[in-house]
Amino acid sequence: MQRYFVSETGWGTNEVTILGEDVHHINRVMRYKEGTNIICNHPDGRAAICELLVITADSVQAEIKQWLNENVELPIQVTVAQGLPKGDKLELILQKGTELGAFAFIPFQAERSIVNWDKKSKKKS
């Protein structure tokens, strides 16, 4: 089931209004019809199964059928300890680790590290 991220203004008491590029995606790409179910994500992290009611060229109206009880956090907290790499590799490690759900990062100056933390921190300032 497709997920759509709906802005705060699109949420009503029992209905959702989808605007923007998602309307094109629902209407032209997925070719959904009235009665199709989708998942709409609220900005506060909650998600609901919604049924499409009205599809126009500018907006999509959907009715909230059921709120989902989803837990998106990892059941454990993973900490990544990483020796200082050369270049901008640390930024890539932080980015990908965050995407995978790492809780914390500990960069450290290893015995065989070529990079010096003092020089690296001054360069980033």
Side-chain angles (χ1 to χ4, degrees):
M1 203 176 308
Q2 287 286 319
R3 284 186 183 261
Y4 296 94
F5 295 87
V6 182
S7 67
E8 185 79 41
T9 58
W11 290 87
T13 54
N14 199 26
E15 103 176 4
V16 177
T17 303
I18 301 172
L19 302 170
E21 292 181 14
D22 287 337
V23 174
H24 171 78
H25 189 265
I26 290 169
N27 197 7
R28 300 287 182 192
V29 178
M30 298 303 293
R31 298 182 184 191
Y32 285 151
K33 303 294 180 202
E34 286 84 0
T36 303
N37 288 338
I38 60 171
I39 297 176
C40 294
N41 285 18
H42 194 280
D44 67 5
R46 297 180 298 153
I49 295 176
C50 301
E51 181 181 335
L52 300 179
L53 298 177
V54 179
I55 302 173
T56 65
D58 298 330
S59 68
V60 173
Q61 299 289 329
E63 179 184 9
I64 299 171
K65 291 294 186 182
Q66 175 188 357
W67 285 98
L68 299 174
N69 187 15
E70 297 179 323
N71 186 5
V72 295
E73 295 296 323
L74 289 175
I76 58 172
Q77 294 181 344
V78 177
T79 300
V80 177
Q82 171 68 46
L84 291 175
K86 294 194 293 185
D88 291 336
K89 293 178 187 171
L90 185 60
E91 289 181 26
L92 181 64
I93 292 166
L94 292 174
Q95 176 188 3
K96 297 303 178 185
T98 302
E99 290 173 2
L100 291 171
F103 177 75
F105 295 90
I106 303 172
F108 63 93
Q109 180 75 37
E111 182 179 324
R112 295 181 179 233
S113 291
I114 297 172
V115 176
N116 189 343
W117 181 254
D118 293 335
K119 292 177 185 176
K120 191 170 187 92
S121 63
K122 288 177 186 175
K123 183 192 275 187
K124 286 292 180 186
S125 299

